[in-house]
Amino acid sequence: MVNLKHDVLIIGAGLSGLRAAIEIVDTHDVAIVTKVHSLRSHSVAAQGGINAAMSAEDSWESHAFDTVKGSDYLADQDVVEVLTKNAPSVVIENELWGTAFSRTEDGKIAQRPFGGAAYPRTCYASDRTGHNLLHTTFEQAMRKGVKFYDEWFVTSLVRAEDRIMGVTALEIATGKVIGIAAKAVILATGGFGRVYGRSTNALINTGDGCGLALRAGVPLKDMEFIQFHPTGLKGSNILITEGARGEGGHLLNSKGERFMKEYAPEKMELAPRDIVARAIQTEINEGRGFDGGYVHLDLIHLGAAKIKERLPGIREISIDFAGVDPIEEPIPVVPTQHYSMGGVDCDKNGTTPLKGLFAVGETACMSVHGANRLGGNSLLETLVFGSIVGKNASEYAANAEDPDANAVDNATFAMREKIQAILMNESGELGAELRELMGTTMDDDVGVFRDPERMEGALKVIKMIQERFENVSIPRSDDRFNYALVRTLELENMLQLAYAITAGAIWREECRGAHWRIDHPKRNDDRFLKHTLTTLIDGEMKISTQDVNLGQFEVKERTY
Ligand SMILES: Cc1cc2nc3c(=O)[nH]c(=O)nc-3n(C[C@H](O)[C@H](O)[C@H](O)COP(=O)(O)OP(=O)(O)OC[C@H]3O[C@@H](n4cnc5c(N)ncnc54)[C@H](O)[C@@H]3O)c2cc1C
């Protein structure tokens, strides 16, 4: 009954999925399944830029040190080395493919300072870097003839005999559930910001890849490390890029003070994101924010010409969504969920504990960002490791046996039944309500500052929502374009991730990077210089640990 089959199947058409496909297409039959058209993937929204030590004064070692220190020493140093050594070549590759990078007067690729970096090493295309990179990478995938299943939603990974056999997917336009057999599967499904109510992420960032992996018995790593970006636009939570501070923007409290001098006297506004986000939240909590809970990001002194040239998107967003023109007025900002440092457990080749399953990009945890990602390192991760994981999956597929078609058929039947049961349930719980409750719980109780009692409460609420989810129903039962069904399947994934994030955050009794416990206000290397692994065993989430790969940079106190 299986009618679709590929050597390598990639789930996700953002930068990491596309870059992997380009690596594979010349030697293997590869296809990408994606729930939205490639160019609507969240990579398109990246603003500020991509890091690479391009100039003679900079070096990969300096980039690696900044990344490891930024990670609060939790990043695996061997992975960081691969990231930073390969950075200049992927930037140049994309430039040759046509990415319109901003330029210096003498024609070189322009670089701006970013948080936690010793050197201005963030290459950018105005404030629309992701848009540029995604378009050029997509063009290359098209040129090379990569096959796409656009608007197909992957619902499960098929596993048998301890290896991957393929996936089941919902064709959104028809409502059909279809099995796709594959020797190798690459998860490239992006982040899970929408587990939180307030996030800079696209609505599609629901962490499906992590949910799929978890249910296939693959552990998730370091899920408690959630990045809160210091400057989400007050009200809409749209991102105001770190590039705005890189270009010289100031953060001011309601007394007009540049408060960062109290928190990071050297780096000021360009301290890493975890530190700036906590500083802003502290100002707000201690009454030095503005009414309604926010601070100001002031760009006025940069002047109209610089704002129009370097930050045109930011100006447009501020005018359209906050009624504020940054040429004349400061922008109201507040810390907002932004990035998922954790993800599917894998090594620097994207290899997961399940044979034939690979992971790359924001959905993966290799771990290159440790407890706190530096801005500009994520676009870099997608391209550097997209190519490496693509190569690795090709090599695996070249020697792998054909997948077991029966296993894929059985999984497809089971998925059809599961979906049918949801569609036929006429009077159950409404997914939208459950989703909102999950979002506010995570915002309120598993945020920038974490209190164990509140997190225990959050865990109970999440469990209760999961129980209610068992009886979920959706307002329409049609097969075609049933987005209510897609949102419901996403919610199932998000609830599992909400649980994993909270359970990990309760377990980790220390402060490290983005994870701040008010009852344990210090880093504790003796107990917690370790990755957290969360595995679903017989329906229960179990936590275990994995050693951190240390290396040339000695673990030290982190000051800026
Ligand atoms: C507003 C914003 C600005 C950012 N700016 C920067 C920046 O300046 N610099 C930087 O380094 N990083 C930045 N980041 C982070 C960076 O953009 C992302 O981490 C990165 O682009 C993720 O790429 P990806 O390929 O892993 O996933 P994505 O680009 O998110 O793509 C995920 C893909 O998976 C598919 N998918 C998901 N679930 C399923 C499913 N169930 N079935 C089928 N397909 C599925 C989607 O359709 C999509 O194609 C920013 C992030 C945001 C939100």
Side-chain angles (χ1 to χ4, degrees):
M1 203 200 68
V2 167
N3 43 17
L4 296 173
K5 191 173 151 198
H6 296 280
D7 291 336
V8 184
L9 192 69
I10 301 173
I11 313 177
L15 273 173
S16 47
L18 289 176
R19 187 61 193 81
I22 290 169
E23 204 61 39
I24 301 167
V25 67
D26 288 339
T27 52
H28 286 82
D29 167 16
V30 60
I32 298 184
V33 193
T34 174
K35 66 178 174 179
V36 298
H37 184 275
S38 172
L39 295 176
R40 302 191 67 197
S41 305
H42 189 62
S43 293
V44 84
Q47 300 174 347
I50 173 166
N51 296 340
M54 305 286 284
S55 81
E57 299 91 75
D58 201 1
S59 66
W60 74 262
E61 289 92 342
S62 169
H63 185 183
F65 173 69
D66 291 342
T67 303
V68 170
K69 181 177 173 191
S71 82
D72 221 344
Y73 295 91
L74 194 72
D76 284 342
Q77 296 193 22
D78 56 333
V79 192
V80 173
E81 186 173 327
V82 176
L83 179 87
T84 51
K85 273 188 178 161
N86 286 287
S89 63
V90 299
V91 169
I92 290 165
E93 176 178 72
N94 266 268
E95 186 205 21
L96 297 177
W97 283 347
T99 293
F101 282 111
S102 297
R103 299 280 162 179
T104 60
E105 292 280 300
D106 56 358
K108 295 202 176 96
I109 292 176
Q111 292 183 285
R112 55 169 50 127
F114 245 46
Y119 195 82
R121 68 168 72 93
T122 306
C123 308
Y124 58 96
S126 183
D127 56 2
R128 297 178 177 121
T129 312
H131 182 101
N132 276 272
L133 291 173
L134 190 67
H135 276 258
T136 36
T137 311
F138 179 67
E139 281 165 13
Q140 294 305 313
M142 293 295 279
R143 181 174 72 81
K144 284 182 158 269
V146 172
K147 156 118 188 111
F148 287 86
Y149 295 99
D150 282 334
E151 302 191 357
W152 285 43
F153 182 88
V154 174
T155 45
S156 73
L157 299 178
V158 184
R159 158 181 197 156
E161 293 160 22
D162 281 337
R163 62 167 276 221
I164 196 91
M165 298 294 176
V167 308
T168 65
L170 175 78
E171 186 185 23
I172 298 172
T174 62
K176 284 190 186 136
V177 178
I178 297 168
I180 313 178
K183 291 179 183 169
V185 172
I186 303 179
L187 293 169
T189 51
F192 44 86
R194 283 291 158 184
V195 169
Y196 284 78
R198 289 192 300 270
S199 170
T200 66
N201 282 198
L203 290 170
I204 53 171
N205 282 16
T206 53
D208 301 337
C210 291
L212 294 171
L214 200 59
R215 290 195 296 281
V218 178
L220 304 180
K221 187 155 78 196
D222 292 342
M223 292 297 282
E224 62 272 32
F225 295 106
I226 299 290
Q227 180 159 83
F228 296 89
H229 198 290
T231 58
L233 188 63
K234 170 75 183 153
S236 61
N237 306 308
I238 299 173
L239 180 73
I240 301 296
T241 174
E242 189 164 303
R245 281 171 286 136
E247 295 297 344
H250 294 162
L251 287 168
L252 303 174
N253 62 18
S254 59
K255 296 177 162 177
E257 295 161 342
R258 274 182 79 187
F259 54 86
M260 281 311 300
K261 64 179 185 297
E262 306 297 331
Y263 303 87
E266 262 182 53
K267 287 274 179 194
M268 297 288 285
E269 281 86 355
L270 288 177
R273 289 178 178 174
D274 55 336
I275 292 172
V276 183
R278 276 194 295 273
I280 294 176
Q281 197 60 54
T282 304
E283 292 296 301
I284 295 170
N285 293 353
E286 294 181 358
R288 294 183 295 278
F290 292 89
D291 278 353
Y294 61 90
V295 298
H296 276 157
L297 172 62
D298 184 1
L299 306 182
I300 302 168
H301 56 283
L302 303 184
K306 195 168 184 182
I307 293 174
K308 284 182 184 168
E309 185 208 328
R310 306 271 177 89
L311 301 164
I314 290 306
R315 180 171 180 234
E316 218 172 280
I317 289 167
S318 305
I319 293 173
D320 290 350
F321 293 93
V324 163
D325 183 347
I327 292 177
E328 289 159 6
E329 284 175 273
I331 309 172
V333 292
V334 67
T336 306
Q337 190 291 337
H338 179 60
Y339 185 82
S340 322
M341 266 78 74
V344 178
D345 174 36
C346 63
D347 67 10
K348 63 183 172 212
N349 296 312
T351 305
T352 73
L354 177 59
K355 220 167 131 193
L357 181 69
F358 302 86
V360 64
E362 194 170 338
T363 201
C365 183
M366 287 187 162
S367 131
V368 79
H369 310 298
N372 173 62
R373 170 180 77 97
L374 293 189
N377 268 355
S378 175
L379 288 177
L380 180 62
E381 174 187 21
T382 64
L383 295 175
V384 167
F385 292 104
S387 133
I388 292 172
V389 174
K391 248 186 229 128
N392 190 26
S394 296
E395 278 166 22
Y396 171 84
N399 301 308
E401 282 172 24
D402 266 348
D404 172 2
N406 282 335
V408 181
D409 283 349
N410 292 341
T412 310
F413 281 126
M415 187 52 64
R416 281 182 190 150
E417 275 179 17
K418 172 177 164 175
I419 287 177
Q420 211 46 39
I422 297 175
L423 290 174
M424 301 308 284
N425 184 6
E426 281 176 2
S427 58
E429 296 278 355
L430 277 184
E433 274 174 22
L434 302 181
R435 186 174 173 140
E436 196 168 324
L437 182 55
M438 170 191 69
T440 48
T441 304
M442 295 301 286
D443 286 344
D444 294 347
D445 298 334
V446 201
V448 175
F449 291 108
R450 296 171 169 185
D451 169 333
E453 278 174 31
R454 295 187 69 143
M455 290 194 293
E456 290 288 356
L459 207 60
K460 286 199 186 115
V461 175
I462 297 160
K463 257 194 204 153
M464 177 269 288
I465 306 174
Q466 280 180 315
E467 281 162 19
R468 288 173 60 186
F469 182 86
E470 295 290 310
N471 181 30
V472 73
S473 78
I474 51 179
R476 43 178 289 235
S477 59
D478 331 13
D479 291 332
R480 291 167 185 266
F481 292 107
N482 193 334
Y483 281 102
L485 172 62
V486 174
R487 297 290 91 89
T488 302
L489 297 170
E490 289 171 342
L491 179 60
E492 182 185 18
N493 292 325
M494 288 194 290
L495 284 169
Q496 286 185 319
L497 305 188
Y499 194 97
I501 295 166
T502 310
I506 291 171
W507 175 80
R508 189 173 283 277
E509 293 176 332
E510 64 158 355
C511 291
R512 187 183 296 272
H515 171 70
W516 191 274
R517 284 280 297 252
I518 57 169
D519 56 330
H520 291 279
K522 284 225 154 57
R523 200 175 75 192
N524 181 343
D525 290 331
D526 290 340
R527 274 187 69 199
F528 293 108
L529 182 56
K530 286 189 166 67
H531 298 296
T532 320
L533 292 183
T534 312
T535 316
L536 195 61
I537 303 172
D538 299 329
E540 294 279 320
M541 299 259 191
K542 297 273 187 296
I543 290 186
S544 58
T545 60
Q546 190 182 74
D547 286 343
V548 176
N549 294 338
L550 300 173
Q552 59 173 320
F553 306 116
E554 192 193 333
V555 179
K556 283 193 188 147
E557 201 192 339
R558 188 168 161 251
T559 52
Y560 289 93

